[in-house]
Amino acid sequence: MSIKVMVVDDHPMWRDAVARDLTESGFEVVATAGDGDQAVRRAKAAAPDVLVLDLNLPAKPGVQVCKELVGHNPALRVLVLSASGEHADVLEAVKSGATGYLLKSASTEELLDAVRRTAAGDPVFTPGLAGLVLGEYRRLASEPAPETDPDRPDAPRLTDRETEVLRLVAKGLSYKQIAERLVISHRTVQNHVQNTLGKLQLHNRVELVRYAIEAGLDDD
């Protein structure tokens, strides 16, 4: 089954080149957009599996586009493709729900591999940025948690298998690595993660990893 991809960038030549490379490599480019408002409208209509997103967009910034679309469809994978390697930009993108972050200096082969891995649910980062993101997860987890709403019922229980998968997600393993470790299919791992997100009322992998670290699930 082909992977449906949407490309969002305000530079037409760059946008068209990325879309062409993806199409020639067997991906199904279902839409493109040149500004933030257009990106939100077209993504909701086209329902891509992966959104390749630039951060610097007219009308609405990329992080806001990411936040809105992941909120609308938590199953959407967002790969940020940006010229900026600034740590603040990377962390803001991840907090908004991006699955990965790749610099525009990456090769075509690196981009194609990143889109495939992003579609599979794996976090993909330009070398040197993965450690930064994990460090931010841990910093967030060390902050005081917001006060619990007294009217909210107790958090739902996870199954043993869901907890096991969550523990491995917190350790930074990809879905493929988790599947191999637990001798289950990649799709089963994805299903467990989606079920866990629903039970815990979380929206994306960032919130899931933070929850797991707060619960101490990343410790041996």
Side-chain angles (χ1 to χ4, degrees), residues 95-107:
K95 289 176 186 176
S96 72
T99 308
Y101 195 107
L102 199 65
L103 295 181
K104 286 187 173 180
S105 56
S107 67

Side-chain angles (χ1 to χ4, degrees), residues 159-171:
T159 65
D160 289 343
R161 180 63 94 185
E162 288 167 349
T163 301
E164 195 171 15
V165 169
L166 183 55
R167 187 185 302 277
L168 295 176
V169 168
K171 289 178 180 295

